[in-house]
Amino acid sequence: MKTTASILLATVATAAAFTSPSTQSASTQLQSAQSDLEALAVDLNPSIKYYDPLRLTTWNFWEQGDEATIGFLRHAEIKHGRVAMAAFVGYCVQSNFHWPWAMKLDGTAFPSTDLSPPEQWAALPIESKHQILTVIGFLEIYSELASSVTDPDVYQPHYMKGGKPGAYPKFGAAVPHPVPFNLYDPFGWSKNRSEEAKARGLVAEINNGRLAMLGIFGFLLEQTLPGSIPLLGDIVKPYSGDLIAGKAFTFY
């Protein structure tokens, strides 16, 4: 388990380094989305602070105004950070552990760890890929439609219209089939946390999401361009296919 230990140790060390103890601005009443963003940037990285060389916050996406643009950018970063964290952990697990149960009713096993994660994806049957992408598509559409439903347990303002960036709606009557647990905080462990604790959690989540983005791209770079990330040379298996256009992400 040399590979697993190396990855886990690197993850713990770097994640701790990216977590800031500063929470002063979390309790401050900010006057605008821009000042909120600038204050959050200080908590996220006190050394760099606010950094927007392209001035993306002033691009006025879809002519919705600067506050809506900032809401979109903040939501996008949080969501993609979560995806990257899931991808990073999934990559580590798929590289080292083989699921013991059958993948299909006919007894077909899951792809072996002899294959790299992209090769394992390519080896999945088309039905499995459709199931995965259908669930992802449903979750994405459901979150976007939460601002247009009448169910008070589901409704939440859209993140571009004053809603909280990164918030995911609860499951309720809007779901055609009963769902016993919500996607976020399914066991209710976070609902009684203080606002200060939630602010610290947000800072840690965003920073760890940024770190995970670098991590998963590092895996993919070393895999397709051996030697590009020397520290991963003995960890990541080479992949000769095309990650974007090749068989790793094709469906047929």
Side-chain angles (χ1 to χ4, degrees), residues 177-211:
H177 188 281
V179 178
F181 300 106
N182 291 309
L183 183 65
Y184 174 74
D185 195 21
F187 303 108
W189 293 340
S190 298
K191 64 180 181 180
N192 295 323
R193 296 176 67 197
S194 66
E195 291 302 316
E196 291 77 11
K198 291 179 180 179
R200 289 195 300 270
L202 176 63
V203 169
E205 180 183 32
I206 295 176
N207 274 331
N208 290 334
R210 292 175 176 179
L211 181 62

Side-chain angles (χ1 to χ4, degrees), residues 76-92:
E77 179 179 30
I78 294 171
K79 180 166 64 175
H80 286 87
R82 291 169 179 168
V83 171
M85 286 188 278
F88 184 87
V89 173
Y91 194 106
C92 296

